[in-house]
Amino acid sequence: MKLYLRGHDDRYAVEQLQLALFPDEPMEPVDAPFTGDGAISSLSAGTTYLTASAKITLGGRTAYAQRRMKTAQADVASRRRLLQNAYYAAALELREAPQWGSLSGVRPTKLTTRHLLAGGDKKSADRLLKELYHVSPERRRLCVEASLATVQAAKCLRENDISLYIGIPFCPTRCSYCSFVSASVEKLQKLLPDFLQALEREIEHVGRLVKASGKCVRTIYIGGGTPTTLSTAQIQRLMRVIAGNFDLTELIEYTVEGGRPDTLSMEKLKAIFDGGCDRMSINPQTMNDSVLECIGRRHSSEQTVNAYRDALQAGFQGINMDLIAGLPSDTPESFADSLERVLSLAPSNITVHTLALKKGADLFFERFRLPTAQEVSQMLSYAEKRLRESGYAPYYLYRQKYMSGSFENVGWCKPGFIGRYNIYMMEELHSIISLGGGGMTKINLADGKLERFHNPKFPQQYIERIEDILRQKEKAFALLP
């Protein structure tokens, strides 16, 4: 679907909305007028009014809408919202109103969180989403409640606090829906020792930088990939190196992404727990064995149950379990069964993801067995109903491009089990220092802006560029306020 901008260059604001509203239409930006299907987004400034208009043609039907505001009152944010509202109004003549209204960003909660932190309340935050962004009542409730949890988590932060992310970009095998850059251990086992050696160097270097900066590490998250792809001995050494280079006495949360149940054993779980970690994630994605086979997961639902029970026995109380709505060959009935089986285990946290079709995933080209947007909606509605009935509340929420039905991912928790790192990272409440493969360091500057530093995604590049990575960390720490 073509997109032509006239009178403005706010491509991102309109492009992301078009992707969200017409997810089945390939995006094609153009620099000149065109014929056939596509959209024209225009902006014109008069002495008194700033006027945005949108003309959308799809399947032989054409829709047009216009919105305006006082020119003297326009700033960058309001101009973008004006463009989006005009586009949204035109799109509604061609399709049903989406659940997230005219919101197109991946972090809708940032709007309501900022509103609450500025002194707003639950009702005014809901009104903001309703009147300015046309969000449905169901999504408004999710968004506002997640922001209330964010405000609660923000109260735990102090001026010099930071968080650490450590990325282990290895998995036992690659899942069909996955677009993360992770190496299959089956193919790249030989890289693991050199990768871990480079990672130890980065941990030691960052440990010195943290100490010199006077910053305090409050949360740690070891993700991937699948960190528990490592052997028990490798995990034990990694945990010792972390504990030996960072002061963990002020930690309020320490998470390891167990991920795949087929990588977990009692020995590994004990090694992680004994190393100071208090939160584990065990992610079945589905409890239907035929769906597991369809997405390339080499484990069974029984292994998931056994891994969960082993984690409890190892000492973990905070355990998250992920499910994905919209997996190939899944149905609303089998998804509901998966959720009920997870609820029967009563984990502290359950995260319900919506399948996102990323171009780097094998599944991007094999869509013929995917549930419809309506079926995904049924899955998510059932999940919300049952999770609320079972005592869970939403605590963080985000969206991704190319999601089935343009829905969302929601983290749910029992009282007292908010996943703080997830909130701090998603809401960008303080600086996150990222180590390992594919990590992205986010430095919160004194003026409220962010400075980002990326670690190489591929293990081989990470190993080869470790000296550059260490120098980059010095630049990052020099920016910390």
Side-chain angles (χ1 to χ4, degrees):
M1 188 173 178
K2 296 181 177 65
L3 175 62
Y4 175 52
L5 307 183
R6 186 165 57 194
H8 71 94
D9 59 359
D10 279 312
R11 178 173 300 281
Y12 183 82
V14 182
E15 188 175 82
Q16 295 307 303
L17 186 57
Q18 180 165 303
L19 284 169
L21 291 171
F22 301 102
D24 297 327
E25 301 294 329
M27 172 67 66
E28 184 185 349
V30 295
D31 297 322
F34 60 88
T35 58
D37 289 352
I40 301 172
S41 172
S42 305
L43 188 69
S44 60
T47 303
T48 306
Y49 288 103
L50 186 68
T51 303
S53 62
K55 180 182 178 182
I56 307 173
T57 300
L58 184 64
R61 299 173 59 200
T62 298
Y64 179 82
Q66 187 179 89
R67 295 290 185 269
R68 68 179 189 174
M69 67 180 300
K70 292 286 185 68
T71 302
Q73 297 173 353
D75 57 17
V76 173
S78 61
R79 185 180 71 243
R80 289 175 178 169
R81 189 161 59 245
L82 189 72
L83 286 164
Q84 289 186 320
N85 283 340
Y87 189 102
Y88 179 77
L92 287 194
E93 296 183 27
L94 302 174
R95 60 149 297 166
E96 293 182 2
Q99 290 285 307
W100 281 104
S102 60
L103 282 177
S104 59
V106 299
R107 299 180 179 92
T109 49
K110 292 196 81 172
L111 290 168
T112 43
T113 297
R114 187 162 56 241
H115 179 82
L116 292 170
L117 290 173
D121 59 22
K122 187 176 180 178
K123 287 185 177 180
S124 61
D126 179 84
R127 189 164 56 249
L128 169 74
L129 294 176
K130 178 182 179 180
E131 296 179 356
L132 290 184
Y133 299 99
H134 323 291
V135 179
S136 73
E138 296 80 10
R139 265 57 197 179
R140 295 202 305 268
R141 183 184 182 188
L142 282 173
C143 196
V144 172
E145 289 182 358
S147 284
L148 290 171
T150 297
V151 171
Q152 180 182 340
K155 293 178 180 178
C156 298
L157 292 177
R158 305 168 305 192
E159 184 178 357
N160 285 324
D161 288 347
I162 60 173
S163 289
L164 296 181
Y165 173 83
I166 300 173
I168 311 293
F170 292 88
C171 282
T173 58
R174 182 181 174 88
C175 301
S176 64
Y177 58 80
C178 184
S179 64
F180 284 105
V181 176
S182 57
S184 168
V185 170
E186 293 175 327
K187 298 179 180 179
L188 296 176
Q189 177 76 38
K190 61 183 180 181
L191 289 178
L192 255 177
D194 289 343
F195 173 84
L196 291 173
Q197 185 176 24
L199 178 59
E200 286 188 20
R201 287 191 61 194
E202 189 180 14
I203 290 171
E204 292 166 357
H205 190 67
V206 171
R208 290 191 290 270
L209 292 171
V210 170
K211 186 175 182 180
S213 71
K215 299 297 181 182
C216 181
V217 178
R218 292 290 268 171
T219 74
I220 297 177
Y221 194 103
I222 303 179
T226 306
T228 46
T229 301
L230 304 182
S231 68
T232 301
Q234 289 168 332
I235 289 172
Q236 287 173 328
R237 180 175 176 86
L238 176 62
M239 302 297 284
R240 284 198 300 269
V241 172
I242 293 169
N245 286 277
F246 298 106
D247 180 1
L248 306 185
T249 59
E250 298 293 322
L251 277 184
I252 54 176
E253 183 180 279
Y254 191 163
T255 304
V256 170
E257 186 80 31
R260 295 268 295 257
D262 50 337
T263 66
L264 295 171
S265 65
M266 179 59 77
E267 291 74 18
K268 288 184 184 181
L269 290 163
K270 285 184 176 179
I272 294 167
F273 186 79
D274 292 345
C277 174
D278 61 355
R279 189 170 182 271
M280 171 60 55
S281 194
I282 299 170
N283 303 332
Q285 315 303 16
T286 174
M287 297 295 280
N288 184 304
D289 287 343
S290 64
V291 178
L292 285 170
E293 183 178 358
C294 191
I295 62 176
R297 284 219 159 197
R298 298 181 184 176
H299 67 82
S300 66
S301 56
E302 183 180 0
Q303 284 177 285
T304 299
V305 173
N306 291 337
Y308 177 81
R309 289 172 176 165
D310 284 347
L312 287 178
Q313 188 175 344
F316 290 97
Q317 293 184 350
I319 303 175
N320 173 74
M321 301 186 79
D322 282 4
L323 290 174
I324 299 178
L327 290 173
S329 79
D330 209 359
T331 66
E333 293 75 21
S334 60
F335 177 84
D337 180 69
S338 290
L339 178 64
E340 293 300 335
R341 293 181 65 184
V342 169
L343 283 172
S344 70
L345 299 173
S348 62
N349 300 69
I350 298 176
T351 304
V352 180
H353 294 268
T354 301
L355 178 67
L357 282 174
K358 296 299 186 71
K359 291 181 179 179
D362 297 338
L363 193 59
F364 186 81
F365 302 101
E366 302 172 5
R367 310 185 190 191
F368 57 92
R369 301 177 67 186
L370 294 180
T372 65
Q374 183 178 3
E375 289 174 322
V376 174
S377 178
Q378 292 175 33
M379 296 175 186
L380 296 176
S381 295
Y382 182 84
E384 180 176 355
K385 176 179 179 292
R386 288 293 294 120
L387 285 161
R388 289 189 185 280
E389 290 174 349
S390 303
Y392 294 83
Y395 72 94
Y396 90 114
L397 179 156
Y398 68 101
R399 302 175 70 202
Q400 294 171 275
K401 295 180 183 179
Y402 314 114
M403 296 187 89
S404 297
S406 296
F407 290 113
E408 67 286 317
N409 305 318
V410 182
W412 297 82
C413 67
K414 290 182 176 180
F417 286 96
I418 287 174
R420 293 183 179 88
Y421 171 84
N422 289 326
I423 292 175
Y424 298 154
M425 178 271 299
M426 192 56 59
E427 299 288 337
E428 298 169 339
L429 294 180
H430 69 176
S431 295
I432 308 287
I433 310 300
S434 294
L435 302 81
M440 181 170 67
T441 291
K442 295 182 181 182
I443 301 296
N444 286 33
L445 304 177
D447 59 4
K449 296 181 180 179
L450 284 176
E451 189 75 25
R452 295 175 173 85
F453 299 86
H454 298 264
N455 275 15
K457 297 178 179 179
F458 296 97
Q460 185 66 50
Q461 292 178 354
Y462 176 80
I463 295 165
E464 293 171 350
R465 292 181 52 197
I466 187 60
E467 296 296 339
D468 293 335
I469 293 167
L470 301 185
R471 286 191 289 270
Q472 183 191 76
K473 285 297 186 296
E474 292 172 4
K475 294 179 181 178
F477 271 81
L479 294 174
L480 282 170

